[in-house]
Amino acid sequence: MSPKKAKKRADGASSNVFSMFEQAQIQEFKEAFTIMDQNRDGFIDKNDLRDTFAALGRLNVKQEEIDDMLKEAPGPVNFTVFLTMFGEKLKGADPEETILNAFKVFDPEGTGTLKKDYVTEMLTTQADRFSAEEMEQMFVAFPPDVAGNLDYKNLVHIITHGEEKDQE
């Protein structure tokens, strides 16, 4: 097979992944990819993952854990590979489980809660930033406990079960 045909097949294979998501979702994945691609070379590598974990407050990540994450990819992790990997992970995934897993990244001890201040910092400084007004609305709807902890398991349950206006 000529290199041109191989390239066409590779392009065709990758274009399928873009049809799995809506444009807004692809944009969100692109923002996440850009945040993780710390050295801005278009690929997520070991150093990018380590830096991303450090930015999230996880400083003691084992090299083995990072290697295992990168082994899930068929090759270097560019945006198309990143999107494909998420597509495979999300295919058939319970939306509640998917959202919970996103919160669990910020909760390495598995307590089921996150500090209000930490949630505020993450949502107002990363990717699709929340405004002060949006944060206030969220905490009115989902108030933290007296110690300032947000019960994200309850929050996710309400998001996925309590307010399913579209499906009703």
Side-chain angles (χ1 to χ4, degrees):
M1 180 169 13
S2 74
K4 275 191 174 175
K5 281 187 180 170
K7 181 168 178 10
K8 274 193 174 155
R9 177 169 293 169
D11 287 347
S14 68
S15 68
N16 295 344
V17 72
F18 289 94
S19 64
M20 290 174 58
F21 300 103
E22 294 173 24
Q23 196 57 45
Q25 291 174 303
I26 292 171
Q27 184 57 39
E28 288 180 20
F29 281 120
K30 185 67 179 168
E31 288 176 15
F33 180 86
T34 302
I35 289 169
M36 293 176 74
D37 182 18
Q38 298 276 320
N39 63 7
R40 301 293 183 258
D41 66 353
F43 295 90
I44 295 175
D45 60 22
K46 291 178 187 185
N47 292 332
D48 291 326
L49 285 177
R50 185 167 298 290
D51 291 346
T52 300
F53 276 120
L56 296 173
R58 275 193 67 194
L59 303 174
N60 57 351
V61 181
K62 294 185 179 83
Q63 188 60 48
E64 182 183 350
E65 186 178 353
I66 289 174
D67 291 342
D68 288 345
M69 290 173 86
L70 288 172
K71 281 182 199 161
E72 290 183 37
V77 182
N78 62 17
F79 180 64
T80 304
V81 171
F82 180 81
L83 196 61
T84 303
M85 291 172 71
F86 269 97
E88 289 168 0
K89 291 250 187 245
L90 295 174
K91 208 183 298 176
D94 175 17
E96 182 173 10
E97 182 185 10
T98 303
I99 298 168
L100 263 178
N101 287 338
F103 277 105
K104 286 178 183 174
V105 168
F106 301 104
D107 181 23
E109 283 81 43
T111 62
T113 63
L114 295 172
K115 289 281 180 203
K116 176 187 176 192
D117 294 344
Y118 182 66
V119 173
T120 301
E121 179 185 343
M122 295 311 296
L123 292 178
T124 57
T125 63
Q126 304 295 320
D128 225 354
R129 297 181 172 116
F130 278 47
S131 68
E133 184 180 318
E134 289 170 321
M135 291 306 303
E136 188 178 323
Q137 289 171 348
M138 185 179 89
F139 290 129
V140 165
F142 307 105
D145 65 18
V146 291
N149 294 311
L150 185 67
D151 178 353
Y152 68 81
K153 289 181 179 179
N154 185 42
L155 171 67
V156 170
H157 184 80
I158 291 168
I159 289 170
T160 57
H161 298 290
E163 296 185 4
E164 293 180 326
K165 295 175 185 142
D166 296 346
Q167 279 97 18
E168 290 178 346

